[in-house]
């Protein structure tokens, strides 16, 4: 197989879109499914949040927010639009895009896992606040459930983050090198 730098630019672009679309579809597929060893107290990793973090680490705040909103809307289409996931994932993408990456984010699994852990807590907090603001449930009940769900989601998401981040990051690095050499 020819190195990526020898591919025609249009083929590289199509391949990039295929990798992006395929990885998003895989994360969407994993979201409602519970496979053995991939859940904790009935909670699974937030696959779309992991994808948004992996995407936003190499992008601007606008691109991160846009990706978060789009993936949040896709998740809303699979679940319920009230409250929306687009707000929490959009905020996560925006904040990750704002980081001065060369200063705070080293390209290692520990940094990405820690960022995903913190962003999972932020995302779930935003979601819980939306539920409370909507007024459909008692805030005490929401916060009691929130603690269990948030901790389990943050732990699992941070543990699974390298599985999504590493291949995507490697692909985007190879693509960037190929574009620079052409």
């Amino acid at each position: 197989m020819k190195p990526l730098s020898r591919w025609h630019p249009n083929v590289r672009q199509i391949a990039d879109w295929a990798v992006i679309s395929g990885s998003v579809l895989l994360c969407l597929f994993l979201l409602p499914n519970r496979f053995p060893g991939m859940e904790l107290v009935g909670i699974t990793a937030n696959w779309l949040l992991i994808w948004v973090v992996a995407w936003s680490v190499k992008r601007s705040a606008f691109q991160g927010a846009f990706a978060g909103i789009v993936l949040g809307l896709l998740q809303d289409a699979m679940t319920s639009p009230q409250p929306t996931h687009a707000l929490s994932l959009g905020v996560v993408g925006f904040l990750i895009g704002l980081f001065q990456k060369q200063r705070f984010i080293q390209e290692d699994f520990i940094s990405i896992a820690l960022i995903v852990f913190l962003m999972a807590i932020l995302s779930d907090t935003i979601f819980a606040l939306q539920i409370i603001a909507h007024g459909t449930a008692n805030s005490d009940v929401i916060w009691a459930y929130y603690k269990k769900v948030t901790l389990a989601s943050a732990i699992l998401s941070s543990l699974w983050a390298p599985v999504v981040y590493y291949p995507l990051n490697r692909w985007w690095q190879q693509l960037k090198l190929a574009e620079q050499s052409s």
Side-chain angles (χ1 to χ4, degrees):
M1 186 167 164
K2 291 197 289 188
L4 201 54
S5 60
R6 292 187 176 192
W7 291 14
H8 189 275
N10 291 342
V11 174
R12 280 198 307 256
Q13 187 174 20
I14 290 169
D16 189 36
W17 280 105
V19 168
I20 291 168
S21 302
S23 62
V24 167
L25 288 173
L26 178 64
C27 288
L28 284 168
F29 169 76
L30 289 172
L31 208 55
N33 291 304
R34 305 290 191 256
F35 297 110
M38 293 179 71
E39 67 177 322
L40 184 63
V41 294
I43 307 300
T44 189
N46 189 338
W47 295 101
L48 294 180
L49 175 104
I50 296 169
W51 196 95
V52 168
V53 169
W55 172 266
S56 302
V57 162
K58 301 283 187 179
R59 310 275 182 319
S60 69
F62 173 76
Q63 291 170 321
F66 183 75
I69 291 168
V70 169
L71 267 60
L73 292 172
L74 287 171
Q75 187 172 1
D76 288 345
M78 291 176 62
T79 58
S80 171
Q82 286 296 332
T84 182
H85 295 89
L87 178 62
S88 58
L89 290 177
V91 168
V92 165
F94 182 78
L95 289 177
I96 296 300
L98 280 182
F99 282 160
Q100 293 179 348
K101 291 142 184 95
Q102 62 277 12
R103 218 165 161 202
F104 297 113
I105 301 173
Q106 298 173 3
E107 295 297 321
D108 62 356
F109 297 140
I110 308 274
S111 299
I112 296 301
L114 181 61
I115 290 167
V116 168
F117 184 86
L118 295 172
M119 291 299 125
I121 292 171
L122 175 66
S123 175
D124 287 347
T125 303
I126 292 170
F127 194 75
L129 289 172
Q130 287 182 74
I131 293 171
I132 291 169
H134 198 267
T136 56
N138 184 353
S139 62
D140 294 336
V141 172
I142 296 299
W143 287 121
Y145 183 69
Y146 160 83
K147 291 175 192 173
K148 178 178 85 168
V149 168
T150 299
L151 186 59
S153 175
I155 289 169
L156 285 172
S157 296
S158 63
L159 289 173
W160 283 102
V163 173
V164 174
Y165 173 76
Y166 182 73
L168 288 178
N169 185 47
R170 184 132 170 95
W171 168 259
W172 290 324
Q173 283 178 346
Q174 293 295 323
L175 191 64
K176 189 174 184 178
L177 289 173
E179 288 173 357
Q180 289 173 352
S181 67
S182 350

